[in-house]
Structures are given as C-alpha cells and as structure tokens.
Amino acid sequence: MKKAVFAGTFDPVTLGHEAVIEKASNLFDEVIVAVCINAEKTAKFSLDIRLEMLNATCKKYKNVKVIYHSGMLVDFMKENGIIYTVRGVRNSVDYEYERKMHDFNSSLYPEIVTLYIPCDEKLKSISSTLVKKALENNENLQDKLSSEVIKIIEKNSKQNSK
C-alpha cells in the first residue's frame, strides 16, 4: 500500500490545498493530511478550526485521513513507514523553498521521496497569507476557498463576535 503525507499549517485550507489533496488521493492508496505547527508563522485560526476545515474538505476523499502532528514531519514518516511526501508548488519561489525542505528532510530520512504537484493556472494566485488579508477586508473568497471552509470561517467569526 502506497501512502503519502501532505503536511502544512492550512491556515486556512484553500482551493489550492484541496487541488493537491485531490491529485494525491488519485496517486496514492492513502493520503495523510497532517496539520503541523510552523514556529515561523502566527496562525489566524486555532488548531481545532483548521482541523474542522480540513475534515470538511477531505470527507469526500475516501482514502484521505486528517491528523495533527506536533513534531518533525520526517519523524512521523519514519514511525509510520511512509516515504512519500506531497508538496504543492505555485511558482519557482515555492519550488526553491520546497527543494530546500526536501534536502533538509532527506538528510534526516534518506528514503524520503518528495512529489511536487504544480498548481493549476487558476489557483496560482491563492495563498493562505493573501486569503487572511482578504478576510480582514471582508472580500469575497468564493474563488479561493470552498463553500465548506467559508461556512466554518463565518460560523466561527460570528461566535467570536458575541
């Protein structure tokens, strides 16, 4: 059984993330989408909300499982006998960053195989950072987020404003 991990902060889960998940689900028997903590980033959404968004996004993919992992990705992969990791790339800047991450990860886990999935043209302008800015300005995000994710964000913003 071929398994892959797609890890990220998913703050929030965008249509770009979902496109990578969908493509990976067609390539592997099982895809584990791992919400990880990046100390260099300040999350807008709590871990629970990000997990809720991912579970809502991934429920249509029968071979996709969502988890939270607090440690290093390669440690999780080693512990679970997984050698494949999937990364989405929008441009050459993303590729260079992801390549450096692959080089670092492979120094710790030489068996690791990183599969780069290029984004579709219409999704290249989507990033979680830009989505968060758009949310602050109350912009329409239907072309960047799924309806499930928008509902979760709206529900939680109403709860927080009470």
Side-chain angles (χ1 to χ4, degrees):
M1 174 183 265
K2 289 199 182 210
K3 295 182 183 182
V5 177
F6 178 39
T9 54
F10 304 105
D11 185 43
V13 182
T14 67
L15 291 176
H17 293 130
E18 185 173 355
V20 173
I21 293 166
E22 180 180 9
K23 289 175 183 177
S25 75
N26 290 322
L27 294 170
F28 294 94
D29 299 315
E30 182 178 0
V31 177
I32 299 167
V33 179
V35 179
C36 298
I37 302 300
N38 183 337
E40 297 173 10
K41 295 181 178 180
T42 301
K44 176 174 180 63
F45 299 98
S46 71
L47 175 61
D48 288 340
I49 292 172
R50 288 183 279 155
L51 286 167
E52 182 182 358
M53 286 188 251
L54 272 171
N55 280 311
T57 298
C58 295
K59 68 182 174 189
K60 64 185 128 212
Y61 307 106
K62 300 300 177 210
N63 61 335
V64 175
K65 177 168 81 169
V66 176
I67 65 152
Y68 163 68
H69 181 68
S70 62
M72 291 187 65
L73 177 63
V74 292
D75 292 337
F76 174 81
M77 293 175 71
K78 284 180 193 178
E79 290 165 12
N80 291 279
I82 301 168
I83 63 168
Y84 299 101
T85 182
V86 174
R87 304 303 302 156
V89 291
R90 294 168 295 187
N91 52 42
S92 61
V93 174
D94 279 358
Y95 176 76
E96 287 304 318
Y97 173 81
E98 296 298 345
R99 180 63 202 203
K100 287 177 187 171
M101 289 302 299
H102 168 78
D103 291 346
F104 176 76
N105 287 335
S106 65
S107 73
L108 302 172
Y109 187 35
E111 296 86 353
I112 198 168
V113 176
T114 303
L115 176 65
Y116 302 101
I117 298 180
C119 289
D120 296 334
E121 193 63 37
K122 66 182 179 182
L123 301 175
K124 283 187 176 183
S125 65
I126 300 175
S127 76
S128 292
T129 302
L130 293 176
V131 168
K132 286 185 271 194
K133 287 180 183 175
L135 279 168
E136 290 171 9
N137 295 320
N138 295 317
E139 294 177 24
N140 184 326
L141 293 168
Q142 290 181 335
D143 60 336
K144 295 174 179 46
L145 303 175
S146 69
S147 60
E148 295 92 354
V149 169
I150 290 171
K151 286 176 192 169
I152 292 167
I153 290 171
E154 288 173 348
K155 173 186 81 170
N156 285 287
S157 67
K158 287 177 185 172
Q159 288 176 353
N160 291 336
S161 65
K162 288 183 180 179

